[in-house]
Amino acid sequence: MPFVFAEATTPQGKPLLRIHVRDEVTITDAEALGARIEDDGPNHRWRILSVVEKGTEYSPAARRYFPNLQPKYGAIAVAVTSPIVRAAINMMMRLTGQAPNLRLFSSEAEALAWLDQLEI
Amino acid sequence: MSVTIEGERVDQLLRIIVAAATGDYELRVPLLEEDDDEFLEVELGVNYLLEELALGKAKSDSQRQQLEVRAEELAHQQSELVQALSTPVIAVWPGVLALPLVGRVDDERAATITAVLLERVAAERATHVILDLTGVGAIAGNTMPALLRMVRAIGLLGASCLLTGISAPVAQQIVALGAAEGGAPVRALAQLSDALALVLAQKGALGR
């Protein structure tokens, strides 16, 4: 599974959806995330930490789907070390347009610190 | 923003763009983790664009194939409809068939008309066939003999054939072929209604 979901808390104890991402992310995976953060989903408007492995790819359908999710999450911090994956996420962010509640980080600790200081 | 890019990366990107411009969307820009710069996003963006173009082309090809299949189905249906409309044999009275012809009659159509009409004459044991040519604009040069052969064939089945609505050019064609002088048993009347009245009178139907 390209997406492995886990419900956790931030260092300051705020609800956190942690997603471990690898391989090729398809529309099915993207929709599984969408279902979690829908209005009636269990993680609606939560803080999300997405840890994306090197070599992860996004299918065209998944790339088109992700921008629709923006109003459904509180904030997403993406921890990514691969320049190629970072470029891919940057491309999707360009599709989204203004996305102040989505930010890329090179380490998980930085990502969590940002999520913790956000008022959602 | 200022980015220094190796010439090889730019050349590679251009080669792939040129290939895409000629309809080849299968190539991809090779991405390297060590190329950690702004240009990497451009290269990735080109790959994404190529993927979208390939998907669009596949979808377009699929739709074109579906349209071709549908066009073939419609052409077949149209052909069947035209064939049915080109030989509208009507039983106007028991034993009396009428065939109003419309449009141009060529060899192929004449052959279809002959086959359909002879089958109906035999099946319904028709005594009279009224062939109305009012709507016939022209008869192809070699087709008139085929129609006159049909008239003779109807006679061989024991039915009489009456032609109505003959235009001046068609009349000249018939005369030129000698059909009106005993070559074939052609009886002509001005209108379909005249022929029908004549046939019904012969059958004694009008006196009932």
Side-chain angles (χ1 to χ4, degrees):
Chain A
M1 282 288 289
F3 277 0
V4 177
F5 299 103
E7 291 183 358
T9 52
T10 65
Q12 292 184 17
K14 294 166 183 164
L16 176 77
L17 175 64
R18 191 179 193 283
I19 311 170
H20 189 94
V21 186
R22 64 182 182 191
D23 302 330
E24 183 178 356
V25 178
T26 66
I27 183 65
T28 307
D29 305 309
E31 286 174 345
L33 171 60
R36 281 180 165 269
I37 61 175
E38 279 292 343
D39 289 352
D40 55 352
N43 308 122
H44 181 62
R45 303 286 300 164
W46 276 32
R47 289 166 175 80
I48 298 174
L49 171 65
S50 180
V51 180
V52 188
E53 279 192 14
K54 177 181 172 181
T56 299
E57 292 183 3
Y58 298 87
S59 75
R63 292 198 298 264
R64 283 191 292 270
Y65 179 83
F66 279 125
N68 302 323
L69 298 180
Q70 199 199 347
K72 298 171 184 172
Y73 55 79
I76 294 186
V78 182
V80 55
T81 54
S82 160
I84 294 174
V85 177
R86 191 186 312 119
I89 296 168
N90 273 332
M91 284 296 297
M92 286 186 277
M93 286 172 69
R94 287 180 193 277
L95 285 173
T96 309
Q98 291 287 327
N101 52 352
L102 194 163
R103 193 173 290 186
L104 303 187
F105 298 92
S106 54
S107 78
E108 198 172 323
E110 286 177 284
L112 283 169
W114 178 71
L115 286 172
D116 251 340
Q117 56 85 36
L118 279 178
E119 292 294 330
I120 296 174
Chain B
M1 177 174 63
S2 174
V3 182
T4 304
I5 307 298
E6 286 176 25
E8 176 57 24
R9 285 175 72 189
V10 175
D11 287 344
Q12 206 157 36
L13 185 67
L14 284 173
R15 276 198 298 274
I16 287 165
I17 290 173
V18 168
T22 62
D24 180 359
Y25 306 142
E26 300 308 313
L27 298 176
R28 296 290 179 271
V29 183
L31 305 175
L32 300 173
E33 294 285 352
E34 54 266 34
D35 293 334
D36 188 3
D37 53 33
E38 304 265 356
F39 197 64
L40 180 62
E41 203 172 321
V42 174
E43 293 169 319
L44 185 81
V46 169
N47 282 353
Y48 282 4
L49 185 62
L50 289 166
E51 283 179 27
E52 293 293 340
L53 287 170
L55 283 173
K57 184 172 183 292
K59 190 176 173 185
S60 168
D61 289 347
S62 169
Q63 285 174 338
R64 196 188 67 240
Q65 283 176 351
Q66 287 175 1
L67 284 173
E68 284 172 356
V69 168
R70 184 67 186 136
E72 277 181 27
E73 286 174 359
L74 286 174
H76 182 66
Q77 287 172 3
Q78 188 185 34
S79 172
E80 285 183 339
L81 182 62
V82 166
Q83 191 161 339
L85 292 174
S86 70
T87 53
V89 180
I90 306 160
V92 292
W93 195 264
V96 183
L97 299 177
L99 174 58
L101 290 177
V102 176
R104 183 178 174 81
V105 180
D106 58 13
D107 284 355
E108 188 182 346
R109 190 176 172 202
T112 304
I113 292 168
T114 301
V116 171
L117 194 54
L118 291 180
E119 189 179 327
R120 288 287 298 273
V121 168
E124 301 191 20
R125 295 184 179 178
T127 57
H128 295 82
V129 175
I130 304 168
L131 197 59
D132 183 50
L133 304 178
T134 306
V136 176
I139 295 178
N142 299 330
T143 305
M144 184 54 84
L147 285 179
L148 293 176
R149 281 197 299 276
M150 180 183 72
V151 171
R152 283 198 292 274
I154 290 168
L156 290 174
L157 291 178
S160 301
C161 188
L162 296 93
L163 297 184
T164 61
I166 296 173
S167 66
V170 172
Q172 287 177 332
Q173 281 182 287
I174 294 173
V175 170
L177 287 165
E181 289 141 19
V186 177
R187 175 148 193 199
L189 293 102
Q191 295 181 5
L192 178 64
S193 56
D194 298 334
L196 188 56
L198 175 69
V199 170
L200 295 183
Q202 284 178 357
K203 284 176 165 285
L206 293 179
R208 286 179 201 167

